[in-house]
Amino acid sequence: MLDDPGFEAVGDHGLGKWQVRYALKTSEPTSRPRWKVVPRVDKDPARGKYLSVEESAPAAGTVFIGQRVRLPNELPLLELAVDFQTYCATPGRSGSVAIAVFSVETWDSVSTDPDTAAPPSEGALFRHVLHPNGEKVTEWHRGRVPPAELQRGLAPLAGREVVVALDWNTWHPAANEWARFDSFYLGEPRPNVEAAAWPRWAYTGEPLRLT
């Protein structure tokens, strides 16, 4: 349901259908969310492009990366997920990662300029925290909204045009912080296979047997 979930169409001169908004944190009223959102290419060719959130100056606050989408009148079972990394040089204080759903009116009221950002006048229609402010995540990790929670949250919004957005919150303008996002997906649930138990050992060049 989201166009370009892997950000492959994003270029140096624009984000395509993706939009960026900035919000000031009331706990950091003198800091500005001076983040830039730029495409980068992962060292793993299989992953390709991702979106990198980087400081353009000392920064703290919230950056949203979202896209407008019209939800079906009859909501099927959906999956909402993103691959992410989040880092802060201050131990145990990496930025929090959430997925939020906004009304179009609220989204349009949020600043597109970090220097004029203000606290949001209204909250999200739905929000789920994938990773709270805490330990850094510097390898790709997939965060999913629990399906039952997602269905409850989206049911009242069926048939409406909304904005589905990544929500990254930071607190430390004096520390090096960054985030990375890829595979922002809303759609039919994908197969999710996890091993019930891992073998005690494996051999190079041989298949890994999972049970």
Side-chain angles (χ1 to χ4, degrees):
M1 296 176 69
L2 293 173
D3 287 337
D4 193 26
F7 308 114
E8 293 299 324
V10 171
D12 294 334
H13 302 291
L15 298 179
K17 291 192 175 183
W18 297 103
Q19 300 177 341
V20 179
R21 298 289 189 272
Y22 301 92
L24 196 67
K25 295 187 70 65
T26 54
S27 60
E28 290 285 345
T30 61
S31 299
R32 292 289 165 185
R34 293 188 176 99
W35 304 103
K36 58 181 180 180
V37 179
V38 294
R40 301 291 186 203
V41 178
D42 194 75
K43 60 185 178 182
D44 179 1
R47 180 167 292 277
K49 281 186 182 178
Y50 62 88
L51 282 190
S52 177
V53 185
E54 306 168 1
E55 292 174 314
S56 60
T62 306
V63 59
F64 302 105
I65 304 167
Q67 186 179 128
R68 296 171 188 246
V69 62
R70 184 169 295 278
L71 297 175
N73 291 324
E74 295 185 11
L75 282 176
L77 185 65
L78 295 171
E79 177 186 352
L80 181 55
V82 67
D83 294 354
F84 69 88
Q85 299 181 36
T86 179
Y87 172 83
C88 179
T90 302
R93 298 303 303 274
S94 70
S96 66
V97 178
I99 296 179
V101 178
F102 293 93
S103 70
V104 171
E105 294 76 17
T106 297
W107 179 259
D108 286 344
S109 72
V110 181
S111 178
T112 60
D113 184 348
D115 289 319
T116 60
S121 57
E122 294 186 34
L125 300 171
F126 172 82
R127 185 172 185 269
H128 176 81
V129 176
L130 301 173
H131 178 76
N133 174 231
E135 294 302 317
K136 62 187 177 183
V137 180
T138 55
E139 298 291 337
W140 287 109
H141 175 79
R142 178 160 294 173
R144 287 186 177 86
V145 179
E149 180 182 342
L150 181 63
Q151 291 302 109
R152 289 194 301 269
L154 296 187
L157 309 178
R160 288 181 56 178
E161 184 182 33
V162 296
V163 176
V164 181
L166 298 169
D167 170 341
W168 187 56
N169 275 278
T170 71
W171 285 262
H172 309 107
N176 177 31
E177 296 188 81
W178 51 260
R180 297 170 180 170
F181 298 105
D182 193 17
S183 301
F184 189 17
Y185 179 82
L186 173 63
E188 182 180 345
R190 298 167 294 185
N192 182 26
V193 179
E194 297 181 1
W198 291 99
R200 294 179 60 187
W201 56 78
Y203 298 98
T204 301
E206 294 188 6
L208 181 64
R209 295 182 179 275
L210 299 180
T211 59

